[in-house]
């Protein structure tokens, strides 16, 4: 479809429907809210016109009160603002549902990045054999995390699910009823969710979205590429799972929680098999076959409801294959395809559903190791070197009992002891990775390896991939040296041989961007991947990269297909693996149509990268030097901003940073470490990026980029940059993603800050760089407006920004009142938090 056709279709399917269904809100059963629907447009208009005229949020909200209400007391005014927030929150849900319902009509099976398009291109370019070969050596893995950027309780998630269906069917009566239910359903969690709650929330998606989605997508790949001699591998599409296993900075994730979550994943897949088998048995009612399937159904039921009974994937597959043989031999293979589909799913999901990862910070491991060495050796922990500690760990025969310790040491040891039992029940695929945050040295990996030995595992029993996570600039710089040393160590080399000579390495975009700025972080990770590919190849190791990409560009996200399709031949491409969190789960993988489409985009990006030659993917030496130069200039600019004495105080005093921790969005604290003073390094990437997003400034997504472009232009070298943009897919993707960050920025909202005595100068630094980046990127791309080539995304952002503009005014108004210490502080703090929720969900990938 051409841009204009797509825009028209979007107007009909999304914009117009929103206008129609939005009118149903007028009759919703809100307490004291009958006139909110009429007042809200006035607050929007006051905001729009007011910001254009340079007014502050305080002036805009007070003008709204005086012109359009007769409210005199602070209590009545804040009560009205709470009602408006409630109303807008529900408008966001409605808009989400309408946009999601329109998805299949706005995207087709033959779009770029789909399996059908991949097959068609492979056929035309005589690359079918090459594509099949790549399918043997490739997989995608989406790892769902519980990071706190999605606040909808499960009750609201289910309404959203039903609302989407009703909108797809254009059922006005049902939509009206569901909106009424939405009006009466609380949007807030009364308490912080536990890690188990977070796990159950995502398991809902595993069962009701991904079980079918991945099964159907695998079948689609199979139908497109299968031959008599080739069948795609069942691990082509995988899912990872962090809730309940990610204890990095989350004291609520314990060994017991990890076991509970593993059990829930196990039971959930058995329930999915049981429900699927029920449908199959309706068709396969033939003698000999039905008896086997009835027996399998009984076995699954018992394994689900009787604690002492269990079933393995091998046992399930044995019965399916027996039924399949009778079906072919005695019943002409009737309905064989539906039994085969079921068999494929058992091979895909095993008895684990999704792979549960364990993650912990390297500094915590070091504390534990030091405690163990102090207690069980003659070494003076304060006097010995890291090497002496490692030597003792590698050579000791000590076997520890977790119960001899307290606190985090006891829990960590117990968790490691439990791994064997989880693997026995869920299969090795159920839990086979231990990720180490903040990795910067060899000891980080060996500490984990030796912890398994200290817990009584023989070296050949350690069926775990130990995954260093290099996330800071320093960590990325050291990554190649660290991995080279590890590959050369006999003890670790033997471990890798037992792990099929494969090494997974995680690279953290989120903290990298926070640490180094957008351009520098992306280039540093690109170069680090190249270096790690080279050193791994030298030692015969198959390296798999795992990206902590998050949602928006500021956390390393953005257009995923374009990003992975732009990687050159110098980067290992055995697997695409990335984290997905919070509202990105619901917005990108939230229903079957979206999930299938976006899984496909990932899958084809990796395959295209190897199969189809494209000079725009491989950087020339000249292009590399130019990106390096731009990255360094932008890094210096961003580093100067970070070093500004007002940087952290600005976030603390002028943004919503302090309020993330007070919400009941997620179970994890918003900063690492204890203590009152806020340090930059302790800041978690999500509240950091989210706070800039709430201010509508999105600084980490662009800051320094425009300055770097301007520097080269002032040297008369802008033509070089234009050639780079046209010649490099990688650089072009970075530019377009950065433009997306700017498109979601709105500096008029906070322009009142330029008059602030303490922060006025700092605000101007941010604003000037935004203006410069925007003008430089428009000049570079030749666009008239940001995101010019992405009309649907641009239209969606525009409508969402319009919905939440009054919400932003309320939030800023409340922050100003708090800063001035005027009125009821408690009420204004609650306004900040409540408006934070709606803004997060409307932005969809804001943090």
């Amino acid at each position: 479809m051409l841009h204009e056709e797509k825009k028209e279709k979007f107007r009909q399917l999304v914009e117009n429907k929103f206008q129609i269904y939005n009118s149903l809100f007028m009759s919703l059963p809100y307490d004291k809210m009958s006139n909110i629907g009429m007042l809200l447009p006035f607050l929007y208009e006051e905001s729009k016109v007011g910001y254009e005229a340079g007014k502050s949020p305080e002036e805009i909200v007070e003008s709204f009160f005086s012109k359009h209400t007769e409210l005199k007391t602070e209590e009545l005014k804040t009560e009205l603002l709470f009602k408006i927030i409630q109303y807008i929150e529900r408008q966001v849900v409605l808009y989400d549902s309408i946009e999601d319902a329109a998805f299949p009509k706005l995207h087709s099976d033959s779009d770029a990045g789909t399996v059908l398009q991949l097959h068609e291109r492979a056929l035309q370019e005589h690359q079918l054999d090459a594509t099949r070969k790549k399918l043997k050596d490739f997989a995608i893995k989406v790892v769902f995390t519980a990071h706190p950027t999605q606040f909808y309780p499960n009750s609201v998630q289910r309404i959203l699910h039903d609302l989407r269906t009703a909108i797809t069917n254009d059922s006005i009566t049902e939509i009206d009823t569901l909106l009424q239910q939405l009006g009466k359903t609380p949007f807030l969690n009364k308490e912080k969710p536990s890690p188990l709650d977070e796990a159950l929330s995502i398991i809902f998606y595993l069962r009701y979205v991904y079980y079918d989605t991945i099964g159907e997508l695998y079948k689609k790949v199979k139908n497109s590429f299968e031959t008599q001699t080739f069948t795609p591998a069942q691990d082509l599409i995988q899912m990872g799972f962090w809730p309940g296993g990610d204890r990095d900075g989350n004291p609520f994730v314990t060994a017991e929680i990890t076991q509970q979550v593993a059990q829930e994943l196990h039971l959930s897949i058995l329930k999915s098999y049981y429900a699927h088998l029920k449908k199959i048995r309706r068709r396969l009612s033939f003698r000999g076959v039905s008896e086997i399937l009835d027996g399998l159904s009984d076995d699954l039921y018992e394994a689900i409801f009787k604690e002492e009974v269990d079933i393995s994937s091998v046992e399930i597959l044995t019965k399916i294959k027996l039924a399949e043989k009778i079906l072919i031999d005695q019943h002409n293979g009737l309905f064989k395809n539906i039994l085969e589909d079921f068999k494929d799913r058992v091979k895909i999901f095993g008895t684990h559903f999704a792979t549960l990862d364990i993650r912990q910070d390297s500094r915590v491991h070091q504390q534990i190791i030091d405690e163990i060495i102090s207690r069980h050796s003659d070494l003076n922990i304060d006097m010995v070197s890291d090497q002496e500690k490692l030597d003792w760990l590698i050579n000791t025969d000590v076997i520890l009992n977790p119960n001899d310790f307290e606190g985090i040491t006891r829990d960590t040891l117990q968790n490691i002891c439990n791994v064997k039992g989880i693997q026995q029940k869920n299969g090795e695929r159920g839990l086979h990775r231990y990720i180490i945050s903040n990795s910067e040295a060899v000891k980080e990996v060996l500490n984990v390896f030796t912890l398994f030995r200290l817990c009584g595992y023989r070296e050949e029993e350690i069926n775990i991939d130990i995954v260093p996570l290099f996330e800071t600039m320093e960590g990325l710089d050291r990554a190649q040296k660290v991995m080279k040393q590890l590959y050369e160590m006999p003890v670790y080399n033997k471990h890798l041989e037992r792990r099929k000579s494969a090494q997974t390495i995680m690279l953290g975009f989120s903290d990298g961007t926070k640490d180094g700025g957008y351009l520098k972080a992306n280039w540093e990770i690109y170069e680090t991947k190249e270096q790690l590919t080279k050193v791994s190849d030298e030692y015969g190791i198959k390296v798999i990269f795992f990206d902590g990409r998050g949602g928006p560009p500021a956390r390393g996200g953005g257009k995923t297909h374009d990003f992975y399709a732009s990687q050159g031949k110098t980067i290992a491409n055995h697997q695409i693996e990335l984290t997905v969190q919070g509202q990105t789960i619901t917005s990108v993988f939230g229903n079957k149509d979206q999930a299938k489409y976006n899984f496909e985009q990932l899958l084809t990006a990796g395959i295209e990268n190897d199969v189809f030659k494209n000079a725009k993917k491989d950087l020339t030496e000249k292009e590399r030097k130019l990106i390096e130069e731009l990255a360094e200039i932008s890094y210096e600019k961003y580093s100067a901003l970070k070093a500004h004495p007002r940087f952290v105080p600005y976030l603390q005093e002028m943004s919503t940073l302090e309020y993330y921790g007070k919400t009941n969005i997620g179970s994890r604290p918003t900063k690492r470490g204890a203590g009152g003073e806020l340090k930059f390094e302790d800041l978690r990437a999500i509240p950091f990026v989210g706070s800039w997003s709430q201010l509508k400034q999105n600084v980490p997504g662009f800051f320094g980029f425009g300055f770097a472009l301007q520097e080269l232009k002032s040297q008369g070298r802008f033509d070089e940059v234009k050639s780079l943009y046209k010649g490099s897919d990688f650089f072009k993707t970075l530019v377009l993603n950065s433009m997306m960050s700017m498109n979601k920025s709105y500096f008029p909202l906070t322009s009142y800050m330029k008059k602030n005595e303490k922060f006025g100068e700092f605000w101007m630094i941010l604003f000037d760089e935004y203006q410069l980046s925007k003008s430089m990127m428009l000049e570079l791309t030749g666009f008239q407006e940001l995101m010019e080539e992405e009309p649907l995304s641009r239209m969606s952002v525009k409508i969402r920004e319009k919905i939440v503009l009054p919400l932003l005014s309320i939030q800023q108004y409340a922050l100003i009142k708090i800063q001035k210490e005027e009125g009821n502080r408690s009420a204004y703090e609650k306004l900040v938090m409540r408006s934070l929720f709606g803004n997060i969900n409307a932005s969809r990938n804001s943090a």
Side-chain angles (χ1 to χ4, degrees), residues 271 498 822:
K271 287 173 186 174
R498 290 190 291 271
E822 289 180 2

Side-chain angles (χ1 to χ4, degrees), residues 566-812:
S566 72
Q567 307 271 300
K569 294 281 189 291
T570 49
I571 292 174
N573 182 37
H574 304 294
Q575 191 157 313
I576 287 178
E577 189 168 340
L578 72 161
T579 54
V580 178
Q581 92 295 323
Q583 78 272 62
T584 313
I585 295 175
T586 50
S587 64
V588 178
F589 298 95
N591 62 58
K592 288 178 189 176
D593 293 311
Q594 283 174 311
K596 195 152 63 173
Y597 183 86
N598 287 303
F599 276 124
E600 276 188 73
Q601 293 285 312
L602 276 177
L603 185 64
T604 58
I607 292 167
E608 283 174 12
N609 214 357
D610 264 22
V611 174
F612 304 113
K613 289 179 172 53
N614 180 353
K616 289 172 81 173
K617 291 174 189 171
D618 298 315
L619 294 166
T620 65
E621 197 52 41
K622 187 181 175 186
E623 287 172 336
R624 300 177 73 84
K625 283 180 179 168
L626 193 55
I627 296 176
E628 178 72 47
E629 196 176 343
L630 288 165
E632 282 306 315
I633 296 167
S634 73
Y635 180 50
E636 283 173 25
K637 180 74 173 174
Y638 180 72
S639 296
L641 181 74
K642 274 197 320 178
H644 196 291
R646 294 284 184 258
F647 188 88
V648 173
Y650 178 80
L651 283 174
Q652 273 187 294
E653 295 175 42
M654 306 303 280
S655 83
T656 58
L657 182 71
E658 298 282 304
Y659 298 93
Y660 266 82
K662 297 176 184 178
T663 63
N664 291 327
I665 295 178
S667 68
R668 196 166 71 161
T670 56
K671 72 183 185 81
R672 292 181 172 98
E677 187 191 348
L678 184 66
K679 295 176 187 167
F680 178 80
E681 56 271 21
D682 287 338
L683 265 178
R684 286 205 169 276
I686 285 171
F688 174 75
V689 171
S691 297
W692 290 115
S693 172
Q694 295 279 313
L695 285 166
K696 304 310 284 181
Q697 292 176 346
N698 291 326
V699 164
F702 67 84
F703 198 91
F705 208 154
F707 179 77
L709 295 173
Q710 172 67 32
E711 278 293 292
L712 264 73
K713 187 183 178 183
S714 68
Q715 295 171 23
R717 298 170 59 199
F718 204 57
D719 283 345
E720 288 179 44
V721 186
K722 283 184 175 177
S723 297
L724 176 65
Y725 175 77
K726 286 174 185 164
S728 163
D729 282 350
F730 173 71
F731 185 69
K732 181 178 182 180
T733 302
L734 296 188
V735 171
L736 296 180
N737 278 340
S738 199
M739 289 175 98
M740 186 198 301
S741 281
M742 289 189 286
N743 197 46
K744 291 184 177 183
S745 299
Y746 185 65
F747 273 83
L749 175 73
T750 55
S751 65
Y752 72 93
M753 292 182 189
K754 66 185 170 190
K755 296 172 188 168
N756 185 291
E757 197 175 319
K758 186 176 179 182
F759 295 108
E761 182 199 336
F762 186 78
W763 185 90
M764 283 305 300
I765 293 171
L766 306 178
F767 180 61
D768 288 346
E769 179 61 18
Y770 166 78
Q771 292 278 73
L772 178 64
S773 295
K774 183 178 175 182
S775 66
M776 292 307 303
M777 287 191 200
L778 288 175
E779 186 180 347
L780 175 64
T781 57
F783 292 173
Q784 299 302 305
E785 57 185 334
L786 298 171
M787 295 177 73
E788 188 176 291
E789 290 183 341
E790 301 165 64
L792 299 191
S793 295
R794 198 173 68 247
M795 288 171 81
S796 175
V797 168
K798 193 175 177 183
I799 296 169
R800 289 175 183 280
E801 299 296 296
K802 184 176 178 180
I803 292 170
V804 297
L805 188 62
L807 208 55
L808 293 165
S809 295
I810 292 168
Q811 186 181 76
Q812 285 296 318

